[in-house]
């Protein structure tokens, strides 16, 4: 039996964040139960016992259950040996935490719910809403502009080294990159370089959802 059980399907950006973390740690001793959001499976009684709000991912590691991606990522980063994905410097930790908060609160709803969903899975969000789509594009630009401003001079969001913040943003923007708006944000200072580097990460390539 594997040390770690991961609940959630590969189409979830948050599941991909966790799998990227595991890949960066070179940790392979896990099993995955592909609880599918698009099929409503997170609201099945057995999953609601794992996550009372019907979300993914959830992990169980050595008998301890954790849900909510921010908690999962911090926990696994601490528990599993290998590359540390939390910066050492307080200022860069703050950059990382601010970026994760921005992505959770503003980036994910805009990029997934307003941009990607409009083009890729409109039926799942109740159809195409032109006003919501237009507003989401504006918010996406604001989010990416601010994340690149927070980045400062380093190649990654929280400085010189890859951090959890990058593992949050890359899977979310990957959906935007599948839409006609893929190149629309390349004029944001620093973004094209960051996105180019993110796509070259082996953890990003290895966790690409199968179509």
């Amino acid at each position: 039996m594997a040390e770690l059980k991961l609940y959630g399907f590969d189409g979830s950006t948050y599941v991909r964040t966790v799998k990227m973390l595991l890949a960066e740690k070179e940790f392979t001793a896990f099993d995955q139960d592909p609880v599918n959001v698009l099929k409503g499976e997170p609201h099945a009684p057995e999953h609601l016992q794992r996550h009372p709000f019907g979300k993914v991912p959830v992990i169980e590691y050595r008998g301890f259950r954790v849900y909510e991606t921010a908690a999962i990522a911090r926990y696994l980063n601490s528990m599993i040996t290998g590359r540390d994905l939390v910066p050492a410097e307080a200022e860069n930790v703050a950059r990382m935490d601010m970026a994760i908060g921005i992505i959770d609160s503003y980036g994910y709803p805009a990029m997934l719910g307003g941009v990607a969903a409009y083009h890729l899975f409109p039926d799942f969000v109740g159809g195409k809403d032109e006003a919501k789509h237009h507003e989401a594009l504006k918010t996406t630009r604001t989010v990416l502009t601010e994340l690149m401003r927070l980045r400062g001079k380093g190649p990654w969001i929280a400085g010189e080294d890859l951090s959890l913040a990058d593992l949050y943003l890359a899977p979310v923007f990957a959906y935007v990159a599948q839409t006609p708006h893929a190149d629309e944000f390349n004029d944001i200072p620093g973004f094209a370089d960051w996105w180019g580097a993110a796509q070259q990460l082996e953890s990003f390539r290895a966790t690409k959802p199968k179509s």
Side-chain angles (χ1 to χ4, degrees):
M1 184 176 179
E3 288 184 82
L4 187 149
K5 183 69 172 282
L6 170 63
Y7 296 91
F9 80 137
D10 287 343
S12 163
T13 68
Y14 288 121
V15 170
R16 191 175 185 184
T17 292
V18 173
K19 292 184 74 173
M20 286 183 69
L21 181 154
L22 296 174
E24 290 292 338
K25 295 274 191 180
E26 299 183 350
F27 182 91
T28 59
F30 70 96
D31 292 327
Q32 184 174 355
D33 184 339
V35 178
N36 192 317
V37 172
L38 298 178
K39 295 180 180 178
E41 292 174 355
H43 295 285
E46 61 269 25
H47 190 72
L48 287 173
Q49 291 182 5
R50 302 181 197 112
H51 194 307
F53 304 101
K55 302 290 185 180
V56 295
V58 176
I59 63 109
E60 292 174 357
Y61 184 60
R62 298 178 179 176
F64 185 64
R65 179 178 297 160
V66 187
Y67 63 88
E68 294 301 295
T69 308
I72 293 170
R74 287 279 198 163
Y75 177 70
L76 292 180
N77 185 66
S78 296
M79 292 294 290
I80 297 175
T81 59
R83 182 176 193 170
D84 192 353
L85 293 159
V86 173
E89 301 82 4
E91 291 84 356
N92 287 336
V93 173
R95 285 190 175 96
M96 181 189 78
D97 287 339
M98 284 189 286
I100 290 172
I102 289 167
I103 295 162
D104 275 338
S105 297
Y106 315 109
Y108 183 94
M111 287 187 252
L112 262 292
V115 178
Y118 179 89
H119 293 283
L120 305 177
F121 35 89
D123 292 345
F124 185 69
V125 294
K128 293 190 172 185
D129 185 324
E130 297 290 343
K132 180 179 179 181
H133 178 57
H134 179 71
E135 190 61 31
L137 287 169
K138 289 171 56 180
T139 301
T140 296
R141 175 166 289 275
T142 300
V143 165
L144 296 178
T145 299
E146 182 59 15
L147 292 177
M148 293 303 103
R149 187 192 69 79
L150 285 175
R151 192 181 72 156
K153 296 180 180 179
W156 300 106
I157 292 174
E160 293 296 325
D161 298 315
L162 188 74
S163 79
L164 297 178
D166 303 292
L167 306 192
Y168 265 75
L169 181 58
V172 178
F173 191 79
Y175 274 105
V176 177
Q178 297 176 47
T179 76
H181 307 286
D183 299 324
E184 198 167 303
F185 306 100
N186 285 340
D187 62 325
I188 295 171
F191 180 71
D193 289 342
W194 176 88
W195 178 231
Q199 292 177 87
Q200 296 305 311
L201 291 169
E202 180 56 34
S203 61
F204 182 80
R205 295 182 173 190
T207 56
K208 181 180 179 180
K210 295 179 176 63
S211 55

